[in-house]
């Protein structure tokens, strides 16, 4: 498909917009590929405002690839704080170790090389390569994709037409700025629900706007079906602390800590069987919504806690909220503590 107007004019408008209105974000004050990479990992499915608070703290703790590679996986998980997506932290850590094992002990300088590291997909590779190394590669996140789909009045996401125009736009001296301009435009002007076309530098070239209903593009994603998941936790106090266990390294909340738990059908019975005690009655209930799951958790306090089979437990923690917990376990522990405080 032919672009709706000369790519050069679009690019000039994007760069002028970026020069005048670029968001002042901490990771934009550097060309250090490591720092840019960390920001991109943190920004996956997390709001800019939340990442901004955490980013500097993480970098103060892990200022370069070597310090990240040297740290334990557990410390990196803690360093990500409550950003929630632990597989991100694990991949970041694994990739840092891969870089440290490589002959040059430096991050690859091309999108192709970056994409070979654990957890780095096409978008992140494109963002780091274009911003840090000036490689002419696109980095199309959800915001940029929306802008381009509207510009072309294109219904499908991940279309060839969108990829082609993204590639054409970055074929210039400032590919990183073009990519970031598209991201900013999508975040601030061409927003999902209410695009501000009158304020948009691309307005004169935009087919979606010309058709009078830019919000129609791209087509909305089908709503994912949401499955229900039942989780049963046991609150087992011991020596001023509480017992925690680690989740398996694969699957939901992989590698994170939680109260001893079972989930799915007959969860309560299976947990009682494993612990070798009666769980008693429910003390608190918490709910957690994920994209594909609605999780309902119940917390029990076995009356016979001293007789719990401890070999089935993980570790005792005096400060469980300081552990790298799953979001659900954190909610459950907070709820248990506020229940205790209100009594
Ligand atoms: S003119 Fe409107 S729909 Fe088109 S890119 Fe700009 S804000 Fe989005």
């Amino acid at each position: 498909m032919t672009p709706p107007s000369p790519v050069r004019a679009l690019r000039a408008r994007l760069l002028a917009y970026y020069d005048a209105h670029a968001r002042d974000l901490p990771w934009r004050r550097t060309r250090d590929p490591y720092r840019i990479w960390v920001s991109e990992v943190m920004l996956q499915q997390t709001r800019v405002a939340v990442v901004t608070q955490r980013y500097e703290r993480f970098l103060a703790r892990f200022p370069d690839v070597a310090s990240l590679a040297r740290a334990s996986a557990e410390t990196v998980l803690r360093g990500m704080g409550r950003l929630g997506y632990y597989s991100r932290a694990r991949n970041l850590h694994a990739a840092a170790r891969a870089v440290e094992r490589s002959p040059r002990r430096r991050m690859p300088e091309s999108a192709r090389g970056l994409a070979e590291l654990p957890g780095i997909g096409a978008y992140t590779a494109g963002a780091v390569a274009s911003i840090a190394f000036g490689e002419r590669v696109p980095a199309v996140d959800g915001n940029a994709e929306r802008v381009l789909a509207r510009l072309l009045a294109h219904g499908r996401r991940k279309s060839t037409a969108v990829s082609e125009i993204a590639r054409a736009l970055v074929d210039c001296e400032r590919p990183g700025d073009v990519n970031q301009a598209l991201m900013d435009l999508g975040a601030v002007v061409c927003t999902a629900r209410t695009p501000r076309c009158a304020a948009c530098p691309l307005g004169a070239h935009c087919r979606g706007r010309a058709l009078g209903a830019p919000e129609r593009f791209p087509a909305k994603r089908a709503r994912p079906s949401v499955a229900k998941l039942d989780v049963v936790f046991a609150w087992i106090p011991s020596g001023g602390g509480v017992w925690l266990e680690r989740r398996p390294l694969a699957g939901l909340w992989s590698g994170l800590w939680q109260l001893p738990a079972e989930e799915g059908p007959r969860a309560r019975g299976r947990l009682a069987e494993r612990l070798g005690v009666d769980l008693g009655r429910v003390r608190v209930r918490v709910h957690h919504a994920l994209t594909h799951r609605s999780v309902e958790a119940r917390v029990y306090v076995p009356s016979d806690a001293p007789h719990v089979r401890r070999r089935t437990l993980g570790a005792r923690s005096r400060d469980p909220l300081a552990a790298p917990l799953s979001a659900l376990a954190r909610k459950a522990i907070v709820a248990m503590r506020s229940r205790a405080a209100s009594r």
Side-chain angles (χ1 to χ4, degrees):
M1 176 186 268
T2 315
S5 70
V7 166
R8 201 178 297 172
L10 284 170
R11 185 190 300 131
R13 284 171 177 263
L14 276 171
L15 288 173
Y17 170 79
Y18 191 69
D19 290 340
H21 304 289
R23 288 177 294 171
D24 180 26
L25 302 170
W27 43 93
R28 289 195 171 160
R29 299 173 204 141
T30 180
R31 285 288 179 102
D32 179 342
Y34 169 70
R35 291 178 169 246
I36 294 165
W37 172 38
V38 167
S39 73
E40 292 298 341
V41 171
M42 288 189 155
L43 285 164
Q44 289 163 22
Q45 303 181 48
T46 306
R47 284 178 300 112
V48 167
V50 177
V51 173
T52 306
Q53 292 164 15
R54 309 263 171 187
Y55 176 72
E56 297 290 3
R57 211 178 310 159
F58 186 88
L59 288 175
R61 204 157 172 193
F62 309 107
D64 47 34
V65 179
S67 57
L68 187 63
R70 272 197 309 274
S72 69
E74 196 88 355
T75 317
V76 177
L77 275 176
R78 275 183 221 271
M80 287 287 265
R82 289 163 61 184
L83 286 181
Y85 293 87
Y86 343 100
S87 53
R88 286 187 283 180
R90 280 215 323 277
N91 282 331
L92 188 68
H93 187 233
R97 290 196 161 176
V99 170
E100 280 300 286
R101 279 196 309 269
S102 68
R104 294 171 64 225
R105 299 181 65 196
R106 279 169 53 184
M107 287 182 64
E109 295 181 7
S110 68
R112 184 175 291 192
L114 287 161
E116 284 174 11
L117 292 171
I120 299 195
Y123 163 74
T124 305
V128 176
S130 64
I131 298 168
F133 302 116
E135 186 180 346
R136 298 179 180 196
V137 279
V140 183
D141 69 350
N143 284 327
E145 185 183 51
R146 183 170 60 250
V147 174
L148 295 175
R150 287 175 176 173
L151 197 63
L152 300 173
H154 210 286
R156 271 210 347 257
R157 292 172 184 272
K158 311 274 175 242
S159 73
T160 312
V162 166
S163 304
E164 275 174 6
I165 195 170
R167 268 199 302 275
L169 283 169
V170 293
D171 189 12
C172 66
E173 295 301 311
R174 297 173 59 191
D177 289 349
V178 169
N179 281 330
Q180 291 180 99
L182 282 168
M183 295 174 203
D184 276 16
L185 203 59
V188 177
V189 177
C190 192
T191 55
R193 291 207 184 138
T194 46
R196 296 190 294 119
C197 299
C200 179
L202 309 184
H205 306 277
C206 181
R207 282 187 185 167
R209 183 188 189 193
L211 292 174
E215 319 79 47
R216 281 201 288 130
F217 306 102
K220 295 215 171 13
R221 286 191 178 91
R223 206 177 266 255
S225 57
V226 178
K228 208 171 157 251
L229 176 67
D230 283 321
V231 176
V232 169
F233 286 130
W235 179 271
I236 306 169
S238 175
V242 64
W243 283 93
L244 299 179
E245 66 182 14
R246 197 161 181 215
R247 291 185 64 84
L249 291 176
L252 186 61
W253 293 309
S254 49
L256 288 176
W257 290 79
Q258 63 182 6
L259 298 167
E262 292 289 338
E263 55 200 49
R266 283 197 58 254
R268 184 178 185 281
R270 285 187 288 114
L271 185 60
E273 218 169 278
R274 165 152 78 96
L275 300 178
V277 290
D278 179 39
L279 294 184
R281 60 189 175 79
V282 180
R283 302 306 169 101
V284 300
R285 292 173 190 269
V286 288
H287 172 77
H288 190 73
L290 295 161
T291 319
H292 299 279
R293 294 189 211 207
S294 167
V295 190
E296 300 289 341
R298 288 166 285 157
V299 186
Y300 292 84
V301 183
S303 51
D304 210 5
H307 294 106
V308 162
R309 288 186 192 130
R310 296 206 173 163
R311 63 188 162 75
T312 72
L313 302 174
R316 193 167 50 190
S317 171
R318 281 184 173 274
D319 186 8
L321 290 175
L325 296 168
S326 75
L328 181 69
R330 183 170 298 281
K331 277 188 182 173
I333 292 169
V334 168
M336 282 299 288
R337 288 205 162 163
S338 49
R339 178 180 181 274
S342 65
R343 301 189 73 182

